[in-house]
């Protein structure tokens, strides 16, 4: 009896009309999704080529939702995954600059990856990460004192778990994370997750030892919202990273 009623329903004009409406809605949704993905991909490609952000606040949330399709269209338009990731990091940074600048420097922290150190680094591991003794073998020895003097808390961390621990311990309101592209991407994701204003600064080289970074870029970002630009001591040795 029940089976007969069910069959009768699926054979009824009501069901046929409902199925037609659902099918049309699905079609509209797919067309909208495809058109919007293509438009977003075009906007991303133009932004990358012109080195200028167009509608970053619109792009970022929609990219998160439509990531898979937009990535494929970008790839078809000649933008590879690395370029795209760099672009997204730039968008995230741009969107966070204003809040970062408003955060008092005492509430800001900077996390450095340990790979920036010299392979002969004499720093010891402490509960707050590796303690630089400014031995002069790498740029951190000049960057960290300048940043600390400006009011920052700085950490050289042996792994990302340290970030969570230090955030819990010191309760900062904003952070700068230095790292390779993947580390910066994950750091920005973590920042979003814990609602912390996060800026990512990418290292210039990848790898596990003696990587390099643009310290001038870091000083520029770290100086956002401060009365004075943070300046590192000049490098006494030529060729120091
Ligand atoms: S300057 Fe570089 S190598 Fe020297 S102690 Fe500091 S982090 Fe280590």
């Amino acid at each position: 009896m029940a089976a007969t009623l069910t069959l009768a329903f699926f054979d009824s004009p009501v069901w046929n009309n409902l199925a037609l409406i659902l099918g049309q809605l699905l079609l509209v949704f797919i067309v909208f999704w495809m058109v919007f993905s293509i438009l977003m991909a075009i906007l991303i490609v133009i932004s990358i080529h012109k080195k200028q952000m167009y509608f970053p606040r619109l792009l970022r949330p929609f990219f998160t939702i439509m990531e898979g399709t937009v990535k494929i269209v970008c790839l078809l338009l000649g933008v590879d995954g690395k370029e795209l990731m760099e672009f997204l990091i730039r968008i995230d940074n741009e969107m966070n600059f204003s809040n970062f600048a408003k955060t008092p420097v005492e509430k800001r922290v900077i996390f450095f990856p340990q790979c920036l150190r010299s392979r002969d680094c004499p720093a010891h591991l402490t509960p707050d990460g590796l303690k630089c003794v400014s031995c002069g073998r790498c740029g951190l020895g000049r960057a960290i004192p300048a940043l600390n003097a400006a009011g920052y808390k700085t950490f050289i961390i042996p792994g990302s778990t340290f970030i969570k621990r230090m955030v819990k311990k010191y309760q900062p309101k904003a952070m700068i994370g230095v790292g390779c592209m993947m580390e910066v991407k994950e750091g920005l994701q973590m920042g979003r997750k814990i609602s912390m204003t996060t800026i990512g600064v990418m290292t210039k080289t990848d790898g596990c030892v003696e990587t390099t970074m643009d310290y001038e870029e870091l000083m520029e970002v770290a100086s956002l919202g401060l009365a004075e630009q943070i300046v590192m001591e000049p490098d006494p040795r030529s060729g120091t990273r």
Side-chain angles (χ1 to χ4, degrees):
M1 178 69 178
T4 316
L5 279 175
T6 311
L7 276 176
F9 172 72
F10 284 117
D11 216 15
S12 69
V14 177
W15 168 251
N16 287 341
N17 286 339
L18 195 66
L20 191 67
I21 292 168
L22 286 176
Q24 285 171 340
L25 282 177
L26 185 65
L27 195 66
V28 168
F29 177 74
I30 291 171
V31 170
F32 170 80
W33 187 280
M34 289 311 296
V35 170
F36 208 73
S37 300
I38 291 169
L39 286 177
M40 274 185 62
I42 290 171
L43 206 56
I44 289 173
V45 174
I46 294 172
S47 299
I48 289 174
H49 286 304
K50 298 227 172 206
K51 295 192 189 323
Q52 194 175 338
M53 302 275 170
Y54 294 106
F55 310 110
R57 287 186 187 279
L58 177 78
L59 275 180
R60 195 60 183 95
F62 278 105
F63 183 86
T64 308
I65 299 166
M66 308 166 110
E67 185 171 348
T69 328
V70 178
K71 266 185 181 169
I72 293 171
V73 182
C74 282
L75 209 62
L76 292 173
L77 294 174
V79 173
D80 62 29
K82 187 170 173 271
E83 273 179 304
L84 186 59
M85 209 189 288
E86 268 176 16
F87 176 73
L88 292 172
I89 288 171
R90 265 175 47 216
I91 289 191
D92 284 342
N93 282 347
E94 292 267 342
M95 283 172 46
N96 288 336
F97 279 157
S98 145
N99 277 346
F100 187 83
K102 285 183 206 149
T103 309
V105 69
E106 312 78 50
K107 289 283 174 192
R108 303 182 192 178
V109 292
I110 304 183
F111 293 105
F112 293 102
Q114 63 163 342
C115 61
L116 281 169
R117 301 179 302 149
S118 156
R119 66 179 71 233
D120 301 318
C121 175
H124 290 294
L125 187 60
T126 73
D128 283 1
L130 290 144
K131 277 289 154 227
C132 172
V133 292
S134 294
C135 73
R137 292 187 179 98
C138 80
L140 288 175
R142 292 178 295 115
I144 287 177
L147 293 163
N148 289 349
Y152 274 93
K153 282 190 183 61
T154 53
F155 304 93
I156 306 174
I157 54 166
S160 59
T161 49
F162 250 84
I163 299 181
K164 288 184 192 145
R165 213 183 310 156
M166 293 305 103
V167 166
K168 204 169 167 193
K169 186 171 175 182
Y170 292 103
Q171 305 276 310
K173 295 274 180 259
M175 65 176 169
I176 296 177
V178 181
C180 65
M181 195 184 287
M182 278 315 291
E183 287 168 334
V184 166
K185 184 186 169 219
E186 283 167 12
L188 287 164
Q189 276 170 352
M190 184 195 292
R192 274 199 295 277
K193 219 167 159 184
I194 59 175
S195 303
M196 163 127 33
T197 304
T198 307
I199 306 287
V201 176
M202 277 190 286
T203 49
K204 286 204 292 192
T205 50
D206 288 342
C208 299
V209 284
E210 299 197 342
T211 53
T212 56
M213 69 169 294
D214 184 345
Y215 286 101
E216 291 308 317
E217 181 194 349
L218 174 67
M219 295 302 143
E220 218 167 281
V221 173
S223 302
L224 283 173
L226 305 187
E228 283 179 23
Q229 170 84 17
I230 305 173
V231 183
M232 283 167 68
E233 288 290 317
D235 184 359
R237 307 179 314 155
S238 60
T240 297
R241 294 172 302 115

